Amino acid sequence: MTFLFPWVLVGLAAAAIPILLHLVERRQPPERAFPAVRYLEDATRDQRRRLKFRHLLLLALRTLLVVLVVLAAAGARLHRAVPLGAHTPMALVLILDNSASSGAVMDGEPTIEALRTTARAVLERATPSDRLWLLLADGVARPGTAKELLARLETVQVIPDRLELGQAVRQADALIRNAGRRGEVVVVSDAQRSAVSPVEVAADMIVLRPAAVPPRNRAIAVLEAGNQPWGGQGGRVAVQVVAEDTAAVAARLTAGNSPPRDLLLTPGVPSTQRIVLGTPGWHLIEVSLPADELRLDDTRQVAVQVARPAGVTWSSRDRFLDAALRVLIGERRLLEGGGASIGRLGAGPSIVVPPEDPALLGALNRALEARGSSWRYGDVVTAPAQSDSTGLLPERVAVERAVRLVPSAGGRRADTVVTVGGEPWIVRSGDLVLVGSRFEPTWTDLPVRAGFVPLLDALASRVVHGAPALPSTLVGGRLPLPPRVTRVVGAGVDVGVEGGSTWSPPAPGNYWLLAGLDTIGAISTGIDPRESALARATSAELEEAWPGAVVADLTDGASRTFAAGGRGDLRPLLLLLALLTLIGESLVAGRIGRVR
Amino acid sequence: MTRPATSAAARPVVRPDLLAPSDVARLGGLEVTTQGVVDGFLAGLHRSPRRGFSVEFAEHRQYQPGDEPRYVDWKLLARTDRLYVKQFEEETNLRAMLVVDASASMAWRGADDRLTKLDYAARLMAALGMVLLRQRDATGLITFDATVRQITPPRVRRGHWHTLARVLGDLQPGTTTAADIALRQVVGALQRRGMVIFCSDLLMDPELTIKALKFLRHRGHDVLVLHIADPAELDLARGEETRFRDPETGRTVTLAPSDWATAYRETVDRVVREWGGACRAAGIHYALITTDMPFGTALGHTLDAR
């Protein structure tokens, strides 16, 4: 036992006061002659022993009362939790998992409601001296009093974001460390196995999670339309569903104004569907599953632009380029002959590679400058390097030789399409695309990699059709908007935006990017596929990921919070005992005849 | 300015027997005031259907040497020329013995405006003695505390009351109480069947006392127990905690009267019931007399008990 104010213990000497008063009181009564003392003795004889006991009990109660009050005033504490004992002021970060998975219906109501109830119980145990934060799936730690956070708690809704619990726990631990007092991280979550990552936590930690088995869930994990724009002959979409079992799942595919198509998809197995959308323009493709306990992942959309294939010209001496373009022409992705020049700078849209002879770089740069390019070629770099992964070139390619791309007047970093070692390797400037290496194996192994043909397809389409903006992201992720975008419309959203700024899709669905009245792109989003995997981490897995964490059930775990450090403030308990002692003293004193 | 004259007829008749005992005591000494009390009492008695103690009957006995000449019936001598004495009058009247407790506990009063139990008992016994003697009942007196203090044999002669009154007036409180010893002395004082009036606060051993009283009853005496109590002994005055000391034994009890008044009253009632029950069972008359009771009323209770 420790004391906040040990000097107050001097007051324990006051415990002798009742005893002294007791003794003094015995001598004080005035004496009076009274012949019928024998009657007094008779009247009190029966109760004399009981009264003597009560008198001693009264003395004990009064002494105990003084001791209890003094101990409470001294701030007595135990090094462990005590019943009714208020905890010492501490810091607590409550991580409430309102990620997409908490929208899954469990026992007739969304999981978030059960989580909210437990979170409420945790906050109700807080005292005004505690420092509190509420950390939600959006990653924002909200400080506040218990009252404020309780009010905030009532407005918490499921958001389609993913909550990486390990990251949240690390963030909470840092908050507690900076708070300068003992603290506790309380995780109230459905404890998805996919959201748990190992973290070393200094603060005490309690994980409160549902004990019930999570519901079965099926989700559309993938819906991709490949390179765009599509030609009149249509294109292919890749669809993949995930589920806890391998039973085939019925799905419905809707493409533009075409009649819906029923699909039978095997979980975990990608399915490619050919779709013909003859009308040039923008089309919306949607795949949906029958409703289950988690609705957020039952539907997925993707936008597709349909346009005529671009006509291109190239030099047949470039063997690898020739082979790749002929594949694309065979696939009707491109047409032979036309305004776009591939491999050299032409009069129209061009994909430019550096000349074999470095001496010709000057002439090329002058030509580029004449075309108004904001980029030019610089020094030759021969140090081997690898490309950085991008959406256009997911696989990393080796670059043995390159010519550095240097921005000239108006050149921006945002023009970069692919980088090598962080340096621009493929950049776009208007209807020009500059590539840092020639499409030859002595410069780069890109021509012999599988990604070469799709990259050419994308680059050709981009320079010819003005590069449709088709960024892909997960809900909550921030995307840079194309410079010309003025509005974003879709999924219940219609907001004006500033081109070039970043924007975050608030919910799964498709958002059209408008420049005035023209649609110049689309953003298709869905929830993180990992949120669809509702399987929960076991207690052992949680304890292994977060050593020292206490894992408890949602329904009764709140009572274990605020025990960080195990220090129990005995004052409420002592004052309660003092009150009970006072009541007992009053009862005994009321009954006693104070007979000696 | 003159006070309006008050005629004797309009003046209310003051009966000292119905005055408060303390008021009677203020009127004068025991011998002075008892006369008034008894006169008042007897005056009231004449107006009542109450009868006297004794039943008068006469008997002559032939004179024997040693008999007092004053008891010789001279008229009978003149007619019959024989000497007879009127001994029959004295011997056929009641012989009464007043037994008065003069222990320390009797010298107590619960309030300054009341008589001590001893003073009250002395005056009551003096009045009773006067009543008895006026009826020509031989009356004696025994005072006692731990031992027998004084024995005044029963007499009926003129002036005997003054002897009793002097003894009662000079009575001083003694120490502890041993009534059984005094009561057994009565047997020697009352050779023939008579009346014993035992006046005490009964703060004594009940078993021994009842046994002694039963013994007297067994000897054929009428026994009357007058239980003298101060009102403050019957009802404990409410108040703060007090240390109560028994003047006889020195034993003490400390308690808060406010907390114990009810229990004490119940105990006193029980004690009174036990005394009354024990006396009735033995054919003994019992009366509870409180010291705030007018002497006339007390005498009335005594007669009722008789």
Side-chain angles (χ1 to χ4, degrees), chain A residues 123-176:
Chain A
L123 289 177
E124 284 172 349
R125 290 170 57 80
T127 66
S129 305
D130 293 323
R131 291 193 65 185
L132 304 170
W133 289 268
L134 177 62
L135 180 56
L136 300 175
D138 57 9
V140 179
R142 299 163 176 82
T145 64
K147 187 177 179 182
E148 292 168 347
L149 295 186
L150 278 168
R152 176 68 182 85
L153 201 59
E154 299 308 315
T155 65
V156 170
Q157 299 292 330
V158 175
I159 61 173
D161 293 359
R162 169 176 165 74
L163 175 60
E164 171 56 54
L165 285 175
Q167 185 178 337
V169 167
R170 188 180 296 110
Q171 183 182 353
D173 193 36
L175 284 170
I176 289 174

Side-chain angles (χ1 to χ4, degrees), chain B residues 6-13:
Chain B
T6 304
S7 68
R11 202 178 301 140
V13 177

Side-chain angles (χ1 to χ4, degrees), chain B residues 253-264:
Chain B
V253 171
T254 303
L255 56 75
S258 299
D259 298 332
W260 288 97
T262 303
Y264 178 81

